[in-house]
Amino acid sequence: MALIVQKFGGTSVGTVERIEQVADKVKKFREAGDDLVVVLSAMSGETNRLIDLAKQISDQPVPRELDVIVSTGEQVTIALLAMALMKRGVPAVSYTGNQVRILTDSAHNKARILQIDDQKIRCDLKAGKVVVVAGFQGVDEQGNITTLGRGGSDTTGVALAAALKADECQIYTDVDGVYTTDPRVVSQAQRLDKITFEEMLEMASLGSKVLQIRAVEFAGKYSVPLRVLHSFQEGPGTLITIDEEESMEQPIISGIAFNRDEAKLTIRGVPDTPGVAFKILGPISAANIEVDMIVQNVSHDNTTDFTFTVHRNDYDKAHKVLATTAQELNAREVVGDTNIAKVSIVGVGMRSHAGVASRMFEALAKESINIQMISTSEIKVSVVIEEKYLELAVRALHTAFELDAPARQGE
Ligand code: ASP
Ligand code: MG
């Protein structure tokens, strides 16, 4: 008999009918003998609706009060599911974050879980109940309701699984797993049976939005086996694990991630002397702007060009800061480009294979796609290219690294 934490997202509990369907599903698991803790999101769109209500009163709602409001979304779905389960003869009980006692810090709207009291849950499980817990919310030392940031129910699920030492944390959502890349861009994309935490973190931070990044970090830290599955279709989903299998069939690259959220800034003709990188990026970070990729060119005549990328939302701000720096440093000019995209290949197989980067560059060269910037880590190679070539690049790489699904018969 296993202890499983199951988390259902907003679309899976978006209507009363869906909640009834979830209840059917949970009942099946229960009948198979598993102990179940179910974590729910609010009905899809509900959290946005609640935030919108708050914003009608105030542009910048008081964070504490906003948490009181948005935490109600999950309170509705947990009670509905508990009722639907009981209607099916399955004993169940619902708890808010406060009732379980999911203790968090006091950072309203983005609180971190500090501790979970598992007493009550264990007691209920022993009594044969399915325990339904509100995702996304907790309570601080002072008894204030807190929330964990958008998408935070994933983190609740993983944290509960860690606290209860569950055998698996299953994240049910509207896709049937983690894919080699976005199927909307590459129709040949395939569901992965397995992916490592590290790879998943890279994929998530690079724009593949199946799971909240914090949930993946949490799961990796506490070694919680995590599985992404479709709420209403049968299938094994994708298991996110620690172990890197050494197998011959293991592909070198697990996935291709991409995002269009970045912009590029270059400061030209800066003196190539110690401290210059700090003089350029110091004011950027002081302005609370996060920098992603950084490239400094080889210098000519003791001056050099320095390029970095920031989130597109920060572009204007960063441009202004950099213009000031350019004056101070007597730099030649500042140029920027918002029509860029980042494409990355990700895979732990890179550790044991040479030539992965050059294979990537070859595939892009064949399509005449110019690479503007490159950065690498142990399990990732990222390039910045012109945005209009993004989809072409992703498709070319997907094929080059043999990730395309085999054509079905008759196709
Ligand atoms: N309901 C919250 C949100 O929409 C939390 C979640 O769904 O994970 O962000
Ligand atoms: Mg969600």
Side-chain angles (χ1 to χ4, degrees):
M1 199 171 74
L3 169 56
I4 302 174
V5 174
Q6 301 186 319
K7 182 259 167 178
F8 290 88
T11 48
S12 314
V13 293
T15 61
V16 168
E17 293 72 41
R18 289 263 168 103
I19 290 176
E20 301 260 20
Q21 272 178 280
V22 169
D24 286 336
K25 182 157 193 134
V26 171
K27 181 180 182 194
K28 255 191 220 154
F29 273 91
R30 186 67 198 117
E31 280 170 352
D34 292 329
D35 277 341
L36 297 174
V37 174
V38 181
V39 175
L40 298 185
S41 288
M43 290 180 166
S44 56
E46 179 64 3
T47 308
N48 288 342
R49 188 185 72 87
L50 294 167
I51 292 173
D52 188 58
L53 281 179
K55 291 211 162 145
Q56 287 180 38
I57 300 278
S58 157
D59 279 349
Q60 281 176 326
V62 177
R64 181 191 180 280
E65 304 309 326
L66 186 61
D67 276 349
V68 174
I69 297 167
V70 295
S71 63
T72 60
E74 275 74 9
Q75 192 167 333
V76 171
T77 50
I78 54 169
L80 289 173
L81 180 65
M83 286 163 55
L85 285 167
M86 287 187 264
K87 186 167 87 177
R88 287 164 174 74
V90 180
V93 59
S94 72
Y95 291 124
T96 63
N98 188 11
Q99 288 174 312
V100 176
R101 204 134 192 271
I102 297 178
L103 182 70
T104 72
D105 60 20
S106 304
H108 286 288
N109 313 159
K110 50 174 188 295
R112 289 190 174 257
I113 297 176
L114 301 174
Q115 203 190 314
I116 293 180
D117 186 356
D118 62 352
Q119 281 269 317
K120 225 186 248 176
I121 295 180
R122 288 208 188 275
C123 217
D124 288 319
L125 290 175
K126 223 181 210 155
K129 290 182 191 166
V130 170
V131 181
V132 188
V133 180
F136 179 54
Q137 57 179 264
V139 63
D140 73 0
E141 280 298 355
Q142 288 74 44
N144 298 301
I145 295 173
T146 55
T147 63
L148 309 178
R150 299 307 306 269
S153 300
D154 290 347
T155 303
T156 306
V158 172
L160 272 169
L164 295 163
K165 300 194 174 55
D167 295 286
E168 194 165 284
C169 178
Q170 302 177 340
I171 308 278
Y172 288 91
T173 178
D174 49 6
V175 293
D176 67 347
V178 179
Y179 274 69
T180 48
T181 195
D182 188 339
R184 282 167 302 187
V185 171
V186 182
S187 58
Q188 307 283 319
Q190 304 188 65
R191 181 184 54 78
L192 294 159
D193 286 325
K194 263 186 174 190
I195 185 169
T196 68
F197 285 112
E198 267 183 296
E199 289 170 323
M200 191 61 215
L201 270 182
E202 293 285 8
M203 296 286 280
S205 64
L206 294 167
S208 155
K209 290 187 189 67
V210 189
L211 288 170
Q212 199 202 28
I213 291 182
R214 264 170 69 187
V216 184
E217 280 169 359
F218 210 107
K221 189 162 158 199
Y222 294 98
S223 306
V224 177
L226 196 59
R227 193 184 289 276
V228 175
L229 303 123
H230 196 288
S231 300
F232 304 117
Q233 291 168 12
E234 292 300 316
T238 300
L239 181 65
I240 305 164
T241 59
I242 297 234
D243 40 295
E244 296 176 17
E245 261 171 54
E246 274 302 324
S247 97
M248 295 293 284
E249 283 107 273
Q250 182 75 10
I252 300 169
I253 296 304
S254 297
I256 317 257
F258 55 87
N259 80 52
R260 309 168 204 259
D261 300 337
E262 292 188 28
K264 188 177 78 163
L265 284 155
T266 300
I267 177 166
R268 290 228 170 94
V270 288
D272 191 9
T273 51
V276 160
F278 175 60
K279 279 189 188 135
I280 294 169
L281 294 181
I284 296 286
S285 87
N288 247 320
I289 299 169
E290 247 180 81
V291 169
D292 182 29
M293 282 201 216
I294 304 170
V295 171
Q296 185 185 321
N297 286 1
V298 173
S299 63
H300 285 284
D301 315 322
N302 297 322
T303 69
T304 185
D305 298 344
F306 194 96
T307 304
F308 57 93
T309 63
V310 297
H311 196 281
R312 244 180 236 187
N313 295 342
D314 289 330
Y315 175 76
D316 289 335
K317 197 161 129 198
H319 201 287
K320 275 201 197 101
V321 173
L322 197 59
T324 310
T325 309
Q327 274 185 344
E328 282 163 17
L329 291 177
N330 236 333
R332 201 164 56 240
E333 62 176 343
V334 171
V335 288
D337 188 353
T338 53
N339 294 318
I340 60 160
K342 184 165 82 172
V343 185
S344 310
I345 56 174
V346 176
V348 290
M350 253 184 242
R351 290 199 177 110
S352 47
H353 287 81
V356 175
S358 65
R359 192 154 146 201
M360 178 187 201
F361 304 153
E362 184 188 15
L364 296 174
K366 271 194 193 145
E367 302 294 341
S368 305
I369 298 170
N370 187 38
I371 301 171
Q372 304 179 7
M373 297 172 83
I374 300 169
S375 82
T376 66
S377 79
E378 218 187 330
I379 64 162
K380 172 190 77 177
V381 182
S382 303
V383 297
V384 165
I385 59 172
E386 200 179 331
E387 185 177 8
K388 71 177 185 206
Y389 296 121
L390 176 62
E391 303 202 344
L392 178 63
V394 174
R395 273 195 291 270
L397 292 170
H398 202 267
T399 303
F401 286 99
E402 293 161 19
L403 295 172
D404 291 348
R408 265 165 283 159
Q409 261 177 7
E411 275 182 37

